[in-house]
Amino acid sequence: MNIEDLISRIAKYISPKRLDHVKRVSEVAKSLALHWKVDSQKAEIAGLVHDIAKKMTPSYLVEKGVSHDKTFPKVFETYPNVWHAWVSPVAISHFLKLSSRDIASASKWHTTGNAKMSKLSQIVFIADYLDPERTLSSRSALTDIAYTHLDLATYCISAKALIQLVKKALPIHPYTLQCHNYYLTTISELDTKRVKSIILE
Ligand SMILES: [Fe+2]
Ligand SMILES: [Fe+2]
């Protein structure tokens, strides 16, 4: 896979600002993948393609030849922030001609997360949140956790995302809850206490 070629193809579908974001996410994902001994090229690619559908709509997809039932119009209406992630596997295969199921699923779960994600999916979920340009007061603590306890990092980010949604009065997708509840069961009570201040800040 020629990464430069992939980047220039992705650039046709997202804004320059978004392109910078996905490049940074891709770097973080690649570094985490190398650390956790996960396929780092898949992580790099998943980081690059995860927001491919950010500017798209169900009608745009239909116009470009995607069948209506693959465009999740209900999700678009009810969870507009989640939709671009849900439809990303379709967009990745339709527009970029990539067929990796692992990459498709890492991209699909990058916004809500899910219970029992693959390590690759957890890495992309975490990397998206840790975009170096995002202002995060807990950045160094969260980065530390991402390199030492993948499930705990997933739990923290899921809990922080939940709180943000409540603060902004946005609907909470059932998969966001599933992700939070599942990863809560994977960590110890001590770890839950340890990260409480990170989650609540
Ligand atoms: Fe996204
Ligand atoms: Fe993103």
Side-chain angles (χ1 to χ4, degrees), residues 118-132:
S118 67
K119 272 191 183 169
L120 179 69
S121 294
Q122 285 181 275
I123 282 170
V124 174
F125 180 72
I126 294 165
D128 189 33
Y129 195 83
L130 289 181
D131 173 350

Side-chain angles (χ1 to χ4, degrees), residues 18 21-22 50-54 81-82 84-85 107 110-111 128:
R18 183 62 47 185
H21 160 72
V22 300
H50 79 279
D51 274 340
I52 187 75
K54 195 73 182 180
N81 297 337
V82 172
H84 76 284
S107 184
H110 84 263
T111 303
D128 189 33

